[in-house]
Amino acid sequence: MAYFEKARTGAEIIREIETTKVPYGMLAIWFIGQCGVILKGGKTVIFIDPYLAPSPSRAFDPPFHAEAISHADYVFITHEHSDHLDIHTIEILAASHPSIRYVTPGYCRDKMIKLGVKEDRLLTLRTDEWRREPGFRVKALPSAHEELDYDPELGYRCVGYVFELNGVKLYHAGDTVVYPGLVESLETESIDLGMLPINGRDLFRNARNIVGNMNFREAAELAVAAGFDTVVPLHYDMFRGNGEHPGYFVDYLYERHPTQKSHVMARFERYIYVSRAALV
């Protein structure tokens, strides 16, 4: 007897986001491809780098169209590359959900305004400083994609974010390599759940103007060195020729660091993370 996987519809995923109840000490996370994730803690819903534009260059279609999004409190953008700051998605959300607040690096500010985001809904964080928003705290950390790019007026071109949401501390790296000081910055945060790119970089991709990230070995070692409770790989699945097999990441951890917890998210999966404190 043959068994066939039944793909969930976009409406089913949206309904799941709406109806999932997330007790304190837990986060619900949906993986929507590349670096895109949706976080829900309590009643707060946060989109990070939502890339929902249909495109022939994608390895698979988005889980739903931007028009289908029923609720988002915040949209966080890590940098201006089109698979992170998706023009298609931002234009639609700015027009249809004027209450959303957007958080971006300074480099993205003008672009976001041109896409229809109102200035009073747009926030740029100073790196390495906590900011409190209703229901959570957040801190931006510099990211090096592949280098740290800093402007005195605009700040760092690429950032990651540390969230304290619903009793869980989560780090979303955006696009970055491991640069001096990153391990120490993360180590002081006691990260529960870290989300890291693993697609790597090389001369041949650089020659095609593809800027790279840490590879699966570096991501694994960063998670261990920084003391993450659990690590989730990102940025390996969207574009042929600029991806990676997440199984290599899991194998590396199993061989070198078998006590390090990890989770590879299935496409469009809902993953419920339970913090260490909630288990005490």
Side-chain angles (χ1 to χ4, degrees):
M1 179 183 293
Y3 292 90
F4 298 94
E5 178 184 2
K6 181 183 181 295
R8 293 191 300 161
T9 66
E12 289 172 329
I13 298 170
I14 292 292
R15 186 162 55 251
E16 185 177 74
I17 296 168
E18 292 173 346
T19 60
T20 295
K21 297 185 184 304
V22 192
Y24 188 81
M26 303 182 188
L27 280 185
I29 301 139
W30 288 263
F31 179 47
I32 56 176
Q34 197 70 335
C35 266
V37 297
I38 304 164
L39 310 179
K40 186 174 185 180
K43 295 183 179 180
T44 302
V45 176
I46 297 172
F47 283 66
I48 306 175
D49 286 353
Y51 174 48
L52 299 171
S55 170
S57 63
R58 296 177 63 115
F60 56 90
D61 291 332
F64 46 77
H65 297 296
E67 293 91 339
I69 294 173
S70 59
H71 177 74
D73 296 298
Y74 290 81
V75 173
F76 280 75
I77 302 296
T78 61
H79 62 290
E80 83 277 13
H81 288 165
S82 60
D83 55 329
H84 299 261
L85 197 173
D86 174 20
I87 291 173
H88 168 87
T89 299
I90 299 303
E91 280 184 329
I92 291 170
L93 291 180
S96 59
H97 296 285
S99 64
I100 293 175
R101 296 202 71 182
Y102 298 83
V103 182
T104 75
Y107 274 87
C108 300
R109 185 174 181 84
D110 288 347
K111 189 172 185 178
M112 296 290 285
I113 292 171
K114 289 179 182 177
L115 294 174
V117 175
K118 303 299 184 184
E119 289 194 53
D120 64 348
R121 307 310 296 169
L122 184 57
L123 177 64
T124 299
L125 301 182
R126 296 173 61 90
T127 51
D128 300 306
E129 293 183 6
W130 285 104
R131 179 181 176 91
R132 184 169 294 280
E133 291 292 314
F136 69 99
R137 290 202 310 160
V138 63
K139 177 196 288 188
L141 293 181
S143 288
H145 185 33
E146 299 174 18
E147 299 177 352
L148 288 171
D149 192 343
Y150 179 79
D151 180 272
E153 293 186 7
L154 300 177
Y156 286 94
R157 186 169 204 146
C158 303
V159 300
Y161 297 102
V162 178
F163 296 89
E164 279 189 353
L165 171 61
N166 207 44
V168 176
K169 189 172 279 190
L170 178 144
Y171 171 60
H172 186 292
D175 279 1
T176 191
V177 299
V178 182
Y179 60 85
L182 179 59
V183 169
E184 291 77 9
S185 293
L186 293 172
E187 195 174 16
T188 63
E189 299 294 348
S190 298
I191 300 295
D192 291 307
L193 183 64
M195 312 190 85
L196 305 175
I198 64 165
N199 62 303
R201 62 210 178 276
D202 57 58
L203 177 67
F204 302 100
R205 280 182 281 180
N206 287 160
R208 291 185 286 142
N209 295 318
I210 298 175
V211 186
N213 294 308
M214 64 184 87
N215 61 34
F216 68 86
R217 296 179 183 86
E218 293 168 315
E221 294 294 347
L222 173 62
V224 173
F228 294 177
D229 176 54
T230 301
V231 59
V232 171
L234 297 176
H235 208 299
Y236 56 78
D237 64 339
M238 187 62 70
F239 301 108
R240 297 177 181 88
N242 188 28
E244 187 54 273
H245 295 289
Y248 296 162
F249 174 78
V250 175
D251 285 346
Y252 185 89
L253 281 175
Y254 181 76
E255 292 294 333
R256 303 294 184 92
H257 305 287
T259 62
Q260 173 63 55
K261 291 187 288 183
S262 65
H263 182 75
V264 175
M265 295 189 69
R267 201 169 288 172
F268 318 141
E269 173 191 4
R270 178 189 63 184
Y271 170 49
I272 306 293
Y273 174 80
V274 182
S275 72
R276 290 170 285 193
L279 295 172
V280 175

